[in-house]
Amino acid sequence: MQATVRTFRAPDTASALAAVKAALGPDAVLLSTRNVEGGMFRKPEVEVTAALRVGACADLGTHGRDDQLRARRVAQTYAERSAAQDSPAANGRLTHGAGRPVVGASADLHVVGASAGLRDTAMRDDALAVEIQSLRRSVEEARRSLSLVTREARSARELQIPPAAADVHALLVARGVETLLAEELVRQAMALAPSREPAASMRERITATVRDLVGERLVPSRAPWLQDRQQVVALVGPTGVGKTTTIAKIAARALLESKKKVALLTVDTYRIGACDQLARYGEIMSVPVLVARDATELVASYERLKDADLVLVDTAGRSVPEDVARQAALVRAMPRVQVQLVVSAASGALDLAAVAERYRAVQPDRLVVTKLDEAAGPGAILSAAVRVGRPVSCVTDGQRVPEDLHAVTGPRLVDLVIPGEARLPEQE
């Protein structure tokens, strides 16, 4: 007579072992255990293979199907009970995964190699799972690298440009620059660079020329807190780019570094809590904060703040062109106001291009770039700069007030798009 070998699956080890005991009895021997990954419509499970010794097979009789049904009911019961338990494993009980107790797996259930054997098996399975995940990551990285090389080679063929120029084009795209914009920069650089020279020299020359071209498109301007004259600065832009926090940073810089008299004004009565947030900043810095709901209130508030060296105006995020136009008309009601468009470097090139197109009718005077610390491809800011065509006044790279706000220089802006010491794909 042969031994009976069966495989059980359950949501966790506790439920699986309870099912083994219910179906095969306390004389069952555990042969193996493993984790079964879930899918889109299936949760992960634990699979346990158990056998009944030959001498005990006769005790089962002919009720195998009933045993399986009873095992499933027991497994479900223990799964529900295990899910409600968070206490450490009791003495003499097996644990699985993060230490959930295997309820019902008492000493009368025979485990191959005893409980330590099951733990060793589980540890081996976990180690194997980790190794498989590591191999998968390695394969994905190799696949991405191969894809990059293939894309660069295809780009060189499709664009019909030398390999040195294709390297620079690939670098620009990797930095977040739009593909067509990167092609335009590279072709202009090729037209300005000598055509017959070694590949390495050509690559360096094209890179240097592209940096010059980027510098023509990304122009710095003096930061608001460094201006010598009185100013009214209104920050506009889409939701979530950090306008209110940037206003607090500018105000703090102006107070601490330039010793200016600062006032805050908000027309953002749309967003819940926006006025309270600005009011808290004003309270911390001991500067006046006024709220305007329409053009009449805005002009009246401006008259009350005429003695301030720097008036900073906060606005609500807008995405519909008509709302953007109305908001622009509102802030333009103040005399000599300077409108600065705030864009997030963490947005992709296409998103930044769309924002720039949406706000181009506003005719912003300056650009403010935020969230450089979150940007995977900071070169995407070039998309906004070329469409708006206005200088960049300052950048932010974190949430700290005011430490993460910085005035900019031309080389620093260019470095965001193509670093001066750029390592091209072939050199890595």
Side-chain angles (χ1 to χ4, degrees), residues 170-361:
L171 174 63
L172 289 170
V173 173
R175 297 285 296 178
V177 180
E178 291 177 75
T179 302
L180 292 179
L181 186 53
E183 179 184 351
E184 177 187 342
L185 291 169
V186 169
R187 290 195 182 279
Q188 289 186 21
M190 288 173 57
L192 296 172
S195 58
R196 292 183 179 180
E197 57 181 335
S201 300
M202 178 180 290
R203 186 162 46 233
E204 292 176 1
R205 181 69 61 88
I206 291 175
T207 302
T209 307
V210 167
R211 282 181 58 83
D212 292 338
L213 294 172
V214 171
E216 295 174 0
R217 291 159 173 79
L218 275 178
V219 180
S221 70
R222 180 169 290 187
W225 65 91
L226 298 177
Q227 297 285 351
D228 297 328
R229 56 185 175 84
Q230 285 185 318
Q231 267 195 309
V232 180
V233 176
L235 299 191
V236 300
T239 303
V241 295
K243 295 186 295 295
T244 304
T245 306
T246 302
I247 280 182
K249 293 174 181 176
I250 294 174
R253 288 278 191 193
L255 288 168
L256 298 174
E257 296 182 12
S258 305
K259 309 301 180 184
K260 290 181 178 291
K261 185 177 180 180
V262 180
L264 306 180
L265 179 58
T266 180
V267 295
D268 185 3
T269 58
Y270 175 79
R271 186 165 53 95
I272 297 175
C275 297
D276 294 336
Q277 183 182 2
L278 196 66
R280 284 196 296 273
Y281 283 132
E283 182 180 358
I284 293 171
M285 293 182 286
S286 299
V287 300
V289 180
L290 298 182
V291 180
R293 294 172 177 80
D294 52 37
T296 302
E297 290 187 3
L298 184 61
V299 173
S301 299
Y302 168 75
E303 291 297 325
R304 293 174 56 185
L305 301 174
K306 287 179 65 174
D307 293 337
D309 299 317
L310 178 61
V311 178
L312 297 169
V313 184
D314 192 15
T315 64
R318 289 288 184 262
S319 56
V320 180
E322 292 77 9
D323 293 338
V324 171
R326 281 194 292 269
Q327 186 181 76
L330 175 62
V331 297
R332 293 285 186 189
M334 292 181 294
R336 301 187 305 276
V337 65
Q338 186 182 84
V339 177
Q340 300 201 9
L341 174 61
V342 183
V343 296
S344 169
S347 303
L350 295 180
D351 290 335
L352 282 172
V355 168
E357 290 292 343
R358 192 181 311 141
Y359 281 86
R360 185 158 59 174

Side-chain angles (χ1 to χ4, degrees), residues 16-94:
L17 293 179
V20 171
K21 186 175 180 181
L24 301 180
D27 293 326
V29 176
L30 297 185
L31 301 179
S32 67
T33 178
R34 71 183 185 94
N35 295 324
V36 180
E37 294 184 0
M40 183 176 297
F41 303 104
R42 188 179 69 253
K43 295 181 178 179
E45 293 180 313
V46 174
E47 180 181 280
V48 175
T49 301
L52 190 62
R53 291 175 298 187
V54 176
C57 288
D59 297 336
L60 289 177
T62 59
H63 303 290
R65 181 175 298 178
D66 293 339
D67 292 337
Q68 289 285 2
L69 293 175
R70 184 171 66 254
R72 291 195 187 99
R73 288 195 296 269
V74 172
Q76 182 178 0
T77 300
Y78 276 104
E80 295 172 354
R81 186 182 303 173
S82 298
Q85 292 180 347
D86 295 321
S87 60
N91 293 333
R93 294 180 180 178
L94 301 177

Side-chain angles (χ1 to χ4, degrees), residues 150-163:
T150 304
R151 189 164 57 249
E152 291 172 3
R154 186 184 302 118
S155 174
R157 290 196 304 270
E158 293 176 354
L159 299 178
Q160 295 183 349
I161 56 179

Side-chain angles (χ1 to χ4, degrees), residues 404-415:
D404 295 332
L405 174 71
H406 312 282
V408 291
T409 61
R412 180 173 183 182
L413 286 175
V414 174
D415 283 342

